[in-house]
Amino acid sequence: MKFRQILWLFLPATLLLVAFIAAPSFDLFRASVFDPDFTTEHFERLINRSVYLDVMWRTIRVSLTVAVLCTLIGYPVAFFINLQPRRRQTLLLFLILIPMWMSILIRTYAWIVILGRDGLVNQMLAMLGLATEPMQMLYTSGAVLAAMVQILLPIQILTCYAAMTEIDFDLIRAARVLGARPRQALARVFLPLSLDGTLTGLVIVFMLSMGFFITPALLGGRQDTMIANLIEFQVQRLNWSFAAALGVVLLVLTVGMIVALRGAGKLLARRVLKGGL
Amino acid sequence: MTYYRMALGAATVLALAIPAKAQDKTLTIAGSGGVVKEITEKVFLPAYEEATGWKTNFVAAESNIMLEVRTMLASGKMLYDAMEVSASNYPIGVKDGLLAKIDYDLLDPNGELPEKAKKEFGVVAAAYSTVLVQRLDKNPEGRKIESWADFWDVETFPGPRSLNRQPQYTLEFALLADGVATDDLYDVLGTEEGLDRAFAKLDEIKDHIPVWWTSGAQSVQLLSDGEVFYSSTYNGRVTKLQESGIPAEIVWNGGALHTSYVGIPKTAPNYEAAHDWIRIRTMRPDLEIEYVKQLPYPNFAPGLFDQMSEDMARNMPTYPENAEVQFVANDEFWAANIDHIRERFDEWLLE
């Protein structure tokens, strides 16, 4: 069948995207510069007050940290699963999927139970006599990071795993036959081939982190406010135009960072392929 | 004493009722729906009808009641004789001239109502407080928090605290902690230096507040979990906290007393009869006790506390000892100033 003849297959998806993504996005952008007349005051407020720049910078920093941590933890796990016999792979993947099926809200609340002043960790520390005073872990940046990594980790593991299963193991055998030591074969054949999928996972985790709301709201203090929290706050205060401006900024920052991350990843991949690590 | 007063009140009402009875008229009262409407219909309306011989028509104004009154005023046909006026509606009603003055010689000739109950355009119908609550078990040996200054004293009373993530009734607490007298609160807060002073005081405690609560339920949860030892919260929720076995105690000193009112719209057709209604609604302890049993928002009905157990009375925001040490939350001030102060507060939180 010709391309043009099957083009209509895209129609439902296109309609859906226009109605529920493109149109609201346009509306958001309009709301950010019309209040009710054309104005750039909301963007000026964002740029002129250092507190808002801090929030943006923090959002990027936290999202990058979460994405990198997920990659550092997720990649070895995916590698390990990939080396297991088929049956055990299914079981392990199933175990990783279970927490993903639970609501983010519930998983976040679980962290409150774990990290609270009377929580599991503090009780354990007290029982072992390691601490006389309960540690303040809830409402800190550490709590937000830990929970975000825990929540997003399965996504990175699954993406890495999917990329690894595509790799032809004969290539690694070939490298070994041609004299590469195991570590060399891994670094110069396996790693570069899995890099693209890993990078995709990193970008997905980063993207999801940028819009994270519940976790910083429930586990973080005021110094852990991210853009999404700020948006919710401004909506509650009925500052809808300012909230819209924040939304536009979030969108632009996220898209910009994704392009930058992909670019940096490509560059890294090329260097790794050429000269090894 | 109570019986004497009640008899006196009943006699007054009865005296007023006799001429009214002959006319067989209807008093139209606007108020909120839901539980408040239910209790009003069960408790206050029958008492009014019995005392005056008038009929009543209670209208649940679900939409914007001030807008309705404004429209009626403009059209020259006022349908309401009396109305509930919420704390936030009161300043609007005053500013826009929607409310009629209360005639206190008519309402309360013997001067039984305390001053705190009497506003120019309304009488306090219900009250609640934003108060400081402490976990007694977290206090240092033999010490108890007694004021907002103690709340700020992190040396004597170490431990995490929480406050409302709103400038209103938070900045006031900071100023009280800084030594401002309750009577001067809003004069100080109304100046730029006073505002700076409040924020400077908040700066001192900022690092000791791991979390700012955004709902009354959250503040109680934080106290209950021991995440914070001291917090502001609404008095109505503290009883529940205590009932669940948490050794929590209210510090009434420096609390913010919030009041809602019953008032009379301008050009109300039955201005004098509306005063009878207000008397029934705000000055009858035997009726008010029934209301308070359902909703913990008492008013200043004289002798109300004689109807209660000592324990219950002491937990009421309008109990004389409690009311005395609180300040009356100034909703007019906040209606006029909220925008610029809130922006500053929100940005201060992010700093």
Side-chain angles (χ1 to χ4, degrees):
Chain A
M1 261 202 277
K2 274 190 197 147
F3 177 70
R4 297 186 66 168
Q5 278 173 319
I6 56 166
L7 205 56
W8 61 269
L9 286 171
F10 276 113
L11 195 67
T14 311
L15 281 180
L16 197 75
L17 286 178
V18 168
F20 294 108
I21 303 283
S25 299
F26 178 75
D27 206 42
L28 180 81
F29 182 72
R30 196 187 46 75
S32 69
V33 286
F34 285 95
D35 184 23
D37 297 316
F38 180 78
T39 172
T40 53
E41 67 165 300
H42 300 297
F43 286 101
E44 280 165 28
R45 183 174 163 197
L46 273 178
I47 291 165
N48 290 337
R49 310 275 179 89
S50 64
V51 283
Y52 299 119
L53 294 178
D54 286 347
V55 172
M56 291 177 216
W57 169 228
R58 177 185 308 132
T59 309
I60 293 178
R61 207 177 53 221
V62 168
S63 303
L64 267 182
T65 313
V66 169
V68 170
L69 282 176
C70 279
T71 308
L72 290 180
I73 300 169
Y75 190 90
V77 174
F79 186 69
F80 174 81
I81 296 174
N82 195 38
L83 289 180
Q84 301 304 310
R86 248 297 121 78
R87 262 223 195 135
R88 203 178 291 161
Q89 282 192 19
T90 318
L91 175 75
L92 289 171
L93 285 175
F94 181 70
L95 289 178
I96 284 166
L97 273 172
I98 291 175
M100 264 183 84
W101 289 330
M102 283 179 222
S103 121
I104 292 184
L105 188 62
I106 291 172
R107 279 185 279 170
T108 304
Y109 264 112
W111 278 99
I112 295 183
V113 176
I114 293 169
L115 298 178
R117 289 187 77 88
D118 270 338
L120 291 176
V121 175
N122 271 326
Q123 278 179 6
M124 227 146 74
L125 287 179
M127 231 158 63
L128 298 172
L130 292 173
T132 44
E133 280 283 298
M135 281 206 293
Q136 183 73 47
M137 288 178 286
L138 211 50
Y139 313 118
T140 63
S141 311
V144 176
L145 270 186
M148 281 177 76
V149 167
Q150 188 254 334
I151 287 167
L152 292 169
L153 188 58
I155 294 172
Q156 179 62 304
I157 293 177
L158 290 178
T159 329
C160 286
Y161 171 80
M164 287 174 188
T165 51
E166 306 262 296
I167 298 173
D168 190 349
F169 252 81
D170 285 345
L171 291 174
I172 292 157
R173 281 193 201 105
R176 293 280 284 131
V177 168
L178 292 172
R181 278 166 306 196
R183 200 167 290 177
Q184 260 181 324
L186 195 67
R188 299 187 62 172
V189 180
F190 189 83
L191 187 68
L193 285 172
S194 63
L195 204 59
D196 200 45
T198 307
L199 196 66
T200 305
L202 186 134
V203 169
I204 292 175
V205 169
F206 174 81
M207 199 172 69
L208 290 171
S209 300
M210 287 291 283
F212 241 58
F213 164 70
I214 294 173
T215 307
L218 289 179
L219 301 179
R222 55 173 183 84
Q223 71 279 10
D224 298 304
T225 308
M226 298 193 16
I227 294 185
N229 303 105
L230 208 52
I231 292 175
E232 186 260 356
F233 212 53
Q234 295 299 331
V235 168
Q236 278 198 0
R237 300 283 205 238
L238 301 180
N239 296 334
W240 290 1
S241 281
F242 189 54
L246 283 165
V248 170
V249 166
L250 177 59
L251 188 68
V252 170
L253 279 183
T254 309
V255 171
M257 282 300 295
I258 289 173
V259 171
L261 278 176
R262 288 236 72 118
K266 288 252 166 65
L267 210 70
L268 181 75
R270 215 171 300 142
R271 292 195 87 182
V272 170
L273 276 176
K274 264 191 196 151
L277 282 171
Chain B
M1 183 64 191
T2 319
Y3 288 114
Y4 166 73
R5 267 196 196 155
M6 270 170 58
L8 194 74
T12 325
V13 169
L14 214 65
L16 280 163
I18 293 161
K21 195 151 201 159
Q23 297 158 12
D24 192 30
K25 288 171 77 172
T26 301
L27 193 80
T28 307
I29 303 150
S32 41
V35 191
V36 175
K37 179 177 194 271
E38 266 173 44
I39 302 175
T40 307
E41 282 178 339
K42 212 172 83 192
V43 177
F44 295 110
L45 295 184
Y48 176 81
E49 291 180 355
E50 196 186 325
T52 62
W54 281 48
K55 295 209 166 3
T56 54
N57 177 23
F58 190 86
V59 184
E62 298 289 359
S63 57
N64 190 336
I65 191 166
M66 296 322 261
L67 191 66
E68 282 182 22
V69 170
R70 203 186 307 254
T71 317
M72 289 177 196
L73 260 181
S75 71
K77 175 104 186 88
M78 178 56 64
L79 297 174
Y80 299 150
D81 292 306
M83 59 194 282
E84 288 170 11
V85 186
S86 71
S88 51
N89 276 340
Y90 184 81
I92 301 172
V94 174
K95 204 175 75 191
D96 297 357
L98 306 176
L99 296 171
K101 273 194 186 170
I102 304 293
D103 183 347
Y104 281 102
D105 292 333
L106 185 63
L107 179 78
D108 180 25
N110 301 328
E112 289 176 79
L113 274 175
E115 283 309 310
K116 274 205 159 75
K118 298 194 270 190
K119 284 259 199 175
E120 199 175 353
F121 296 92
V123 182
V124 171
Y128 72 92
S129 294
T130 309
V131 286
L132 168 53
V133 171
Q134 59 182 324
R135 282 277 303 253
L136 291 173
D137 54 329
K138 307 283 188 189
N139 278 339
E141 207 48 47
R143 296 298 301 260
K144 243 165 116 171
I145 284 201
E146 273 156 17
S147 66
W148 285 106
D150 287 347
F151 181 88
W152 252 259
D153 181 0
V154 293
E155 302 285 316
T156 318
F157 300 97
R161 295 138 153 78
S162 188
L163 285 172
N164 191 357
R165 197 177 185 154
Q166 293 272 6
Q168 59 266 47
Y169 327 121
T170 295
L171 295 184
E172 284 98 324
F173 299 152
L175 285 181
L176 286 175
D178 208 25
V180 176
T182 46
D183 288 342
D184 305 333
L185 269 184
Y186 290 98
D187 292 335
V188 174
L189 207 53
T191 63
E192 215 42 52
E193 304 84 67
L195 206 54
D196 291 345
R197 188 172 164 190
F199 276 105
K201 194 67 185 172
L202 279 176
D203 279 335
E204 290 177 19
I205 198 110
K206 204 174 190 179
D207 290 339
H208 301 275
I209 299 186
V211 53
W212 294 73
W213 58 269
T214 50
S215 70
Q218 190 194 3
S219 62
V220 171
Q221 189 66 50
L222 289 169
L223 284 163
S224 165
D225 290 347
E227 280 308 327
V228 302
F229 301 170
Y230 313 107
S231 178
S232 60
T233 190
Y234 305 124
N235 75 286
R237 296 181 174 272
V238 181
T239 320
K240 291 256 158 60
L241 192 63
Q242 290 161 336
E243 279 167 6
S244 71
I246 304 290
E249 193 176 279
I250 292 179
V251 181
W252 291 101
N253 186 17
L257 189 64
H258 308 265
T259 43
S260 67
Y261 312 91
V262 48
I264 304 171
K266 255 190 192 159
T267 70
N270 299 297
Y271 177 78
E272 287 185 14
H275 281 77
D276 296 337
W277 163 249
I278 295 178
R279 191 178 306 111
I280 295 276
R281 179 64 189 83
T282 63
M283 296 176 66
R284 282 281 296 273
D286 56 324
L287 302 175
E288 182 65 15
I289 184 75
E290 297 303 316
Y291 180 90
V292 174
K293 276 179 191 163
Q294 306 284 330
L295 287 170
Y297 309 125
N299 59 26
F300 290 97
L304 173 64
F305 301 110
D306 302 340
Q307 312 261 334
M308 298 179 189
S309 67
E310 179 79 7
D311 266 0
M312 188 181 180
R314 285 189 173 278
N315 272 315
M316 292 289 149
T318 51
Y319 187 70
E321 273 174 39
N322 299 340
E324 216 169 273
V325 291
Q326 298 179 73
F327 65 93
V328 177
N330 188 335
D331 298 301
E332 285 106 321
F333 174 86
W334 283 113
N337 295 293
I338 185 68
D339 284 343
H340 81 277
I341 295 184
R342 191 153 63 187
E343 191 174 314
R344 178 169 175 183
F345 183 79
D346 288 349
E347 290 181 358
W348 173 85
L349 273 180
L350 291 174
E351 272 165 16

